[in-house]
Amino acid sequence: MKTRESRILESARHSLARGLVVAAVCSAVIGDVDARDSSMPSATELQEVVDEAHAKFKDLKDGKNADYIPILATIPSELFAVVIVTRDGEVYAAGDADYAFAIESVSKPFNASLVMQEQGPRAVYEKIGVEPTGLPFNSKIAIELHDERSVNPLVNAGAIASVSMVKAGTEEERWSKVHGNLNDFAGAELPLLDEVYESEYKTSWSNRAIANLLYNYGRLYAEPEESMRVYTKMCSVGVTTKQLATMGATLANGGVNPVTGKRVLDEEHVPELLALMMTAGFYDESGEWSYTAGLPAKTGVGGGIVAIVPGEMAIAAFSPRLNEAGNSVRALNAINHISSTLRLSVFDGR
Ligand code: DON
C-alpha cells in the first residue's frame, strides 16, 4: 500500500520525466524549423528519392495484411505508394498514390488535434494521458497498469477517449465534427468506407471491452457504444496516400493546410501533437522508429503511415502488409529510406 507522500513523489517524478521528454522533442522540433528553410531539398531531389524508395521496396513481401478486421485481409497486398507533400503543397508521388485505403489509426493524432483545438493540450494531458505504453495498440493490460487508464491518444483506449471528448450534443454531431476535422486536414471530402465500417464494427469486441473499461474508470466522456461507433467510423474513412501526405503537410506547415490555406490547429499546439507522435506513433516500436527515422509519425493497420518533417514536409506511404506491431513493412522502410537519404531526423543537428 503506497503512502500519500510516496504517491505525490511518484507523481512528481512522472511529471518531471514527461516534461523532459516533451521538452526534448519540442526543442529538437522547433530548433530545426529555421535551419531547415535553407536546407530544403530541390524538387528534383524530392522526386528522385520518392521514386528510389518506391523502387527499392516494391518487391519486399515481408509481413501480412491485418485480418482481425476481416475486410482488410482482402485488400490487394501488392498496392504500394510513396508521397511527399511539402509545406507549400508541392506533391511528389510514386506508385498507387490515388488508391483510397482505410485510414485506421493514422486518424488518431488528427482527432487528438481536434480535442486540443477545442479544449487545449492540458485537457488531453489530464483526461487522456501522454505516456507511451510500450505495449500493443489494443492493450487492455495498459489500462490496468497506468493510473491514466487511457494512457495516450494514439493507442485505441486513448483514441476512443479522444472521440468521446469531442464536444457534441448528439452522435451525429460528434461524427460530423470528427469527420469534418479529417476533411480539413486533407483539404478534401474523405469518404466513409461502408464495407470497412461494417466489417470492423461487427468484430469490435476488443475495442468494446476497452470502451467499457474506460467508462468504468470514469475515463470515457460519452456513452461507450456511441464513442465506439464514432471511433470505428473515424477509422473507416478512406484516404489516398496523396491526401494523407497533405494531412501531414498541414502539421509540417504549423497547422495550416497548404492547399486550402485553412488553419486547422493553432501553431503553438503543433509541437505537443508531434511529441505524442514521436513517443507513441509506432506503438511498441516507437523507440526503434525514433532511433532510425527520427520523425514524428503515425501508422495504421490499413497499411498507411505518415511522418512529419516539421517546417518542411510530410512523407506518407501505404502498403497493406504489416509487421508484428501492426506497422506497414514497405511503408516504414520507404519512409526510413527517405529520412536517412535526406538526413531528415529531427535529432540531426548537422
Ligand atoms: O481499433 C482498431 O483496432 C483499428 N480501427 C485501428 C488499429 C490500428 O490502426 C493500429 N495501428 N497500427
Side-chain angles (χ1 to χ4, degrees), residues 68-69 104-105 108 137 156 200 207 231 235 283 298-302 325-327:
Y68 75 99
I69 300 169
E104 297 295 348
S105 290
K108 291 172 179 171
F137 59 85
N156 289 9
E200 183 162 345
N207 284 339
Y231 164 81
C235 292
Y283 307 112
K298 187 69 203 79
T299 71
V301 291
N327 302 323

Side-chain angles (χ1 to χ4, degrees), residues 49-50 52-57 60 80-85 101 106 241 244-245 248 277 281-282 289-290 292-300 303-309 313-319 327-345:
V49 77
V50 163
E52 196 178 276
H54 187 268
K56 195 169 160 73
F57 299 108
L60 188 59
F80 183 32
V82 184
V83 177
I84 286 177
V85 172
F101 58 92
V106 192
T241 313
L244 184 56
M277 294 172 79
F282 264 70
W289 177 254
S290 299
T292 53
L295 293 174
K298 187 69 203 79
T299 71
I305 303 181
V306 66
I308 319 299
V309 188
M313 66 183 97
I315 312 163
F318 155 68
S319 199
N327 302 323
S328 165
V329 179
R330 285 182 185 167
L332 81 83
N333 274 287
I335 297 175
N336 222 330
H337 174 78
I338 293 173
S339 180
S340 56
T341 305
L342 300 179
R343 303 227 332 236
L344 298 175
S345 165

Side-chain angles (χ1 to χ4, degrees), residues 219-276:
R219 299 288 285 180
L220 198 72
Y221 309 99
E223 194 272 319
E225 202 59 30
E226 172 184 332
S227 309
M228 268 281 305
R229 270 193 297 271
V230 176
Y231 164 81
T232 309
K233 278 187 182 165
M234 173 177 90
C235 292
S236 306
V237 160
V239 70
T240 69
T241 313
K242 280 184 189 162
Q243 289 166 334
L244 184 56
T246 305
M247 294 175 80
T250 301
L251 292 174
N253 192 34
V256 174
N257 184 307
V259 179
T260 63
K262 180 166 181 174
R263 172 162 297 285
V264 189
L265 178 63
D266 288 342
E267 188 157 22
E268 63 189 290
H269 300 327
V270 172
E272 281 134 336
L273 192 65
L274 296 186
L276 288 172

Side-chain angles (χ1 to χ4, degrees), residues 90-114:
E90 300 294 332
V91 182
Y92 304 92
D96 306 299
D98 293 310
Y99 177 88
F101 58 92
I103 190 168
E104 297 295 348
S105 290
V106 192
S107 60
K108 291 172 179 171
F110 299 102
N111 199 60
S113 157
L114 173 61

Side-chain angles (χ1 to χ4, degrees), residues 38-58:
S38 56
S39 62
M40 184 75 182
S42 68
T44 313
E45 283 174 308
L46 290 174
Q47 188 59 56
E48 271 174 14
V49 77
V50 163
D51 289 338
E52 196 178 276
H54 187 268
K56 195 169 160 73
F57 299 108
K58 74 176 170 26

Side-chain angles (χ1 to χ4, degrees), residues 60-79 137 300-304 318-333:
L60 188 59
K61 310 271 188 217
D62 295 1
K64 68 180 190 61
N65 286 34
D67 56 9
Y68 75 99
I69 300 169
I71 197 160
L72 295 184
T74 69
I75 307 296
S77 304
E78 290 308 323
L79 288 165
F137 59 85
V301 291
F318 155 68
S319 199
R321 289 197 196 95
L322 311 178
N323 66 14
E324 289 292 316
N327 302 323
S328 165
V329 179
R330 285 182 185 167
L332 81 83
N333 274 287

